Amino acid sequence: MTPDERILVIDIVIPNWNGRELLTTCLHSLQKQTFRSFRIIIIDNGSHDGSVAFVREHYPDVHLITLSENEGFCKAVNKGIQASGNQLVLLLNNDVEVAEDCLQKLDEAARKNGDYDFFALKMIDFHQRTRLDGAGDSVMRGGVGYRLGTMEQDSAVYSIRRDVFGACGGAALYRRSLFESIGLFDEDFFAYLEDVDFNLRAVAAGKKCCYLPDAKIFHMGSASTGSKINSFTVRLSTRNNIYVVLKNFGPYLFLRFLPAFLIYQMFWLLFVIKKGQIFSYLHGLVESLKRCGIMMRRYRENRRRWRLSRKEFGDVIVNSEKHAIASIMNRRAEQRKSTHLFKVYMKLFC
């Protein structure tokens, strides 16, 4: 049996925080998989809703790691990755349902596409299953990511396997060799945009990601935090956005992307003011400034792993942003909303 024909064991890493009700759907869907060569690792982040007792009673085969308090998404998944021992690691949010043949499709893709280092799954809205939640990740010059296809009607466009910039950390398959090459998720991020940072580091190091339209999960979205926009998400998103830029752009790319970065910051500020979250925004900004020196040192450390030149890396980011804006415009057109500002932005900056 050749390496390409060998069935690979998949370690499934699931972080959990007060997600007892969500775990039923997630774990039940994994029990129904047509592919059986996998094991599940749950890292509980100090839940107080009975999650740990529930898993131990109903899913005794699950490898359970318990933390005394909520140490964040990054630390939880890192502990899961470190506890896994196989060559393939699948990260899943706890608020997903996994299609019955999903792991089968992942195994086939990993065996047949050895030149790819990680894979993005097709994320479908759990409640509206004709709509997408994400079809691979892009990155924008403002230092944020965008899940391609988000809130768009599923279509033939998103049924084609293709290269993408990166993968959403809530549904992604990684080769262990990728972590060994560029490191794990940055625990200083705690949560939010940590996968943007990881994707940027991977691409700069010459790694490749493939979007797999046949590997499907159904995502509820923001089920643990309760809402997409709150003081917690605004604070961390603001802080981590600055972290991403400081860690991955460096002086050359920061100056090259400065107009786009300032435009993004202006619209983000207007958005948080509209949502009544200005104090959370300022809190996140202050936190980012306190650690800017540390993040800049990490840029210099990461730079040693780069395989792309600064110009090549910048060009890849610009191209990825074009795909993101095209997706946003398509979504807004479906919703019969204006796309004029995005057209102006594309003409001026892309």
Side-chain angles (χ1 to χ4, degrees):
M1 182 178 292
T2 68
D4 287 342
E5 295 171 333
R6 188 181 304 125
I7 294 175
L8 301 174
V9 178
I10 300 175
D11 281 326
I12 304 173
V13 174
I14 304 172
N16 178 69
W17 180 64
N18 292 331
R20 173 178 170 174
E21 299 303 321
L22 304 172
L23 287 172
T24 300
T25 298
C26 180
L27 295 177
H28 181 65
S29 68
L30 289 172
Q31 287 182 328
K32 296 166 62 179
Q33 291 297 301
T34 56
F35 178 85
R36 304 304 306 170
S37 186
F38 68 91
R39 69 167 182 163
I40 302 170
I41 303 171
I42 291 180
I43 308 90
D44 187 80
N45 248 329
S47 295
H48 47 76
D49 68 342
S51 289
V52 171
F54 171 76
V55 171
R56 285 175 175 163
E57 179 181 356
H58 297 282
Y59 301 93
D61 293 336
V62 168
H63 179 50
L64 184 63
I65 300 172
T66 59
L67 306 179
S68 60
E69 60 184 2
N70 186 0
E71 298 190 39
F73 175 88
C74 300
K75 182 168 285 190
V77 297
N78 283 350
K79 285 185 178 295
I81 294 166
Q82 290 165 338
S84 65
N86 292 299
Q87 293 305 307
L88 294 177
V89 179
L90 172 63
L91 296 192
L92 285 180
N93 280 353
N94 59 0
D95 60 343
V96 302
E97 177 186 334
V98 185
E100 290 186 12
D101 63 348
C102 180
L103 297 188
Q104 184 72 51
K105 299 298 184 182
L106 292 177
D107 171 71
E108 293 171 359
R111 286 187 288 111
K112 295 177 181 178
N113 297 275
D115 53 336
Y116 287 96
D117 303 279
F118 57 135
F119 301 86
L121 282 66
K122 187 173 194 176
M123 304 175 72
I124 299 170
D125 189 297
F126 182 87
H127 303 287
Q128 300 182 61
R129 300 200 172 192
T130 61
R131 292 201 172 272
L132 294 173
D133 191 64
D137 273 21
S138 59
V139 70
M140 304 182 76
R141 284 175 287 180
V144 294
Y146 185 79
R147 294 202 301 269
L148 298 170
T150 298
M151 292 187 287
E152 292 182 45
Q153 192 75 21
D154 196 3
S155 66
V157 173
Y158 296 109
S159 298
I160 301 171
R161 182 178 298 191
R162 66 183 187 279
D163 287 13
V164 289
F165 188 86
C168 170
L173 181 71
Y174 301 89
R175 296 191 192 277
R176 179 168 301 280
S177 57
L178 178 58
F179 298 121
E180 293 170 348
S181 176
I182 70 167
L184 300 174
F185 291 92
D186 188 336
E187 295 179 6
D188 278 340
F189 279 67
F190 192 86
Y192 301 109
L193 303 186
E194 74 290 324
D195 48 2
V196 178
D197 169 63
F198 187 89
N199 291 337
L200 283 162
R201 287 189 281 134
V203 170
K207 308 302 181 181
K208 294 173 59 180
C209 183
C210 181
Y211 162 64
L212 303 174
D214 296 329
K216 303 174 184 177
I217 62 100
F218 304 92
H219 185 217
M220 298 179 197
S222 302
S224 292
T225 56
S227 67
K228 292 185 178 180
I229 301 298
N230 53 49
S231 59
F232 178 76
T233 60
V234 169
R235 176 175 66 85
L236 291 190
S237 296
T238 301
R239 182 194 71 183
N240 293 351
N241 177 210
I242 305 300
Y243 283 179
V244 166
V245 171
L246 293 174
K247 274 192 65 179
N248 296 282
F249 285 4
Y252 170 81
L253 289 181
F254 179 72
L255 290 175
R256 177 178 172 182
F257 296 160
L258 184 59
F261 175 75
L262 293 176
I263 288 172
Y264 173 80
Q265 289 298 317
M266 179 185 70
F267 279 102
W268 175 242
L269 177 58
L270 293 174
F271 177 78
V272 296
I273 290 173
K274 178 181 177 181
K275 294 294 183 178
Q277 296 289 346
I278 184 62
F279 292 109
S280 300
Y281 169 85
L282 293 174
H283 189 182
L285 196 61
V286 170
E287 285 187 342
S288 71
L289 294 176
K290 288 180 178 178
R291 298 185 65 81
C292 64
I294 293 173
M295 293 299 154
M296 292 173 71
R297 284 198 298 272
R298 289 184 186 168
Y299 164 75
R300 292 191 290 270
E301 294 169 0
N302 292 333
R303 188 77 173 83
R304 301 189 190 104
R305 301 188 182 99
W306 283 25
R307 293 294 178 267
L308 303 183
S309 69
R310 291 179 300 178
K311 183 181 183 308
E312 289 171 334
F313 187 35
D315 290 345
V316 172
I317 292 172
V318 171
N319 187 58
S320 179
E321 184 181 62
K322 290 179 182 178
H323 290 296
I325 294 175
S327 178
I328 294 170
M329 291 174 63
N330 189 55
R331 168 173 57 82
R332 292 183 65 85
E334 285 183 0
Q335 298 170 343
R336 298 185 178 181
K337 294 181 179 180
S338 172
T339 60
H340 179 68
L341 286 178
F342 293 96
K343 291 178 180 177
V344 172
Y345 179 88
M346 288 281 278
K347 179 174 285 190
L348 291 176
F349 297 106
C350 297

